[in-house]
Amino acid sequence: GNIQPDPRPWDEVAPSYAFVDELAVFGPRVAGKGNQERYDYWLQNFRYMREVARFNCLWAVYNKAVEKAKVAAEEPARQTLLRDEALPVRAEMTAALREIFAALLATVSNTGELGTIANWEQHLLPGAWERPEVELMKMLSGELPPGVRLPRGYDGPPRVIVPAVRTSLEAGEALSLKVLVLAKGRPESVAFYWREMGRGAFQAVPLDNVARGVYLLTFPAPAADIEYYLEAKADGQVVCFPATA
């Protein structure tokens, strides 16, 4: 749950993560939606690990550049050092963070993994990114260029996330589900499709939107075993949970 600047050059650290690109080669050979989802989950997790390691190395380089500027005798020299040495590294750190969050958001599937994102937002970014950003802005006496600032929007494919998947119910218990839809824009619709196990056509029940991309379902206690899946229409795509639905 913590990160630290890594003084080692990235060229020295990178070979430890060569397996990530080796694993990526197998992508086109993975057949079946369920298999593809599992493969993508692990590939993205390993990409996340690699980008965190790269960010740590860049962080150490950035700190050196800022310290070098701080001890410069004259203000013009300090500004030159910041713009020529600190800002380019900061831009690389921005790119690394974008990859880190892209990988995280591609793999979140439960409450624990949501906690990893919360840890970044509440614990890691303030020390590794936000406070250094404020310091850099003060030293440059102005706003930072767009290339060194994190974007606020989501830029990945739409996803349907069910943090706690229900596979069984007590007798007479209603089925309650919380569903998260991750998308660039507001979903057009989110629905629960169900039928008696193996019989007839699926029936759709719309979910209630309770906050941003959070939807809730309360389905009356079924009289017999049912099967179900969820479907969201967002960003011009139809996405199902589970992937094999």
Side-chain angles (χ1 to χ4, degrees):
N2 198 16
I3 56 174
Q4 298 290 339
D6 188 341
R8 296 176 296 170
W10 173 240
D11 289 345
E12 178 183 326
V13 178
S16 299
Y17 297 91
F19 72 91
V20 181
D21 289 333
E22 294 171 5
L23 179 61
V25 171
F26 292 99
R29 296 170 58 183
V30 179
K33 290 184 178 180
N35 295 330
Q36 186 69 51
E37 182 185 52
R38 284 184 288 274
Y39 168 82
D40 288 342
Y41 176 88
W42 288 109
L43 180 61
Q44 291 290 0
N45 267 291
F46 293 140
R47 283 174 172 167
Y48 164 78
M49 291 169 58
R50 179 177 62 185
E51 288 305 311
V52 171
R54 187 165 77 93
F55 179 86
N56 289 343
C57 292
L58 290 168
W59 189 7
V61 175
Y62 174 80
N63 287 347
K64 287 183 179 180
V66 171
E67 291 304 314
K68 185 177 178 181
K70 286 179 178 179
V71 299
E74 298 180 357
E75 183 62 24
R78 181 179 298 111
Q79 295 292 313
T80 298
L81 286 169
L82 289 172
R83 296 189 182 280
D84 292 351
E85 297 188 22
L87 282 178
V89 180
R90 182 82 178 179
E92 290 187 73
M93 293 171 70
T94 303
L97 279 174
R98 293 186 70 168
E99 292 295 326
I100 285 169
F101 275 88
L104 277 178
L105 294 172
T107 57
V108 165
S109 60
N110 56 51
T111 303
E113 290 167 341
L114 286 168
T116 301
I117 294 178
N119 184 59
W120 270 97
E121 296 284 357
Q122 299 169 10
H123 175 57
L124 302 183
L125 287 181
W129 188 255
E130 294 168 2
R131 287 194 289 272
E133 181 176 71
V134 172
E135 179 187 49
L136 184 60
M137 290 175 64
K138 288 181 179 178
M139 293 176 71
L140 290 171
S141 301
E143 289 291 321
L144 300 179
V148 299
R149 307 203 68 171
L150 284 177
R152 307 300 295 179
Y154 174 67
D155 195 36
R159 293 191 62 214
V160 176
I161 303 161
V162 183
V165 181
R166 295 300 306 271
T167 58
S168 63
L169 295 170
E170 296 290 342
E173 179 187 1
L175 172 61
S176 297
L177 288 177
K178 179 167 76 171
V179 178
L180 312 178
V181 179
L182 181 61
K184 298 174 187 176
R186 185 179 180 86
E188 297 174 31
S189 64
V190 182
F192 169 85
Y193 284 82
W194 73 280
R195 70 177 181 181
E196 186 176 342
M197 186 72 74
R199 294 185 177 182
F202 282 91
Q203 302 177 56
V205 178
L207 272 66
D208 295 324
N209 182 217
V210 294
R212 296 188 292 179
V214 182
Y215 293 79
L216 294 181
L217 167 80
T218 300
F219 185 74
D225 290 342
I226 66 169
E227 54 183 319
Y228 73 89
Y229 67 94
L230 295 137
E231 179 186 276
K233 296 179 180 178
D235 300 340
Q237 300 181 51
V238 177
V239 187
C240 291
F241 177 91
T244 52

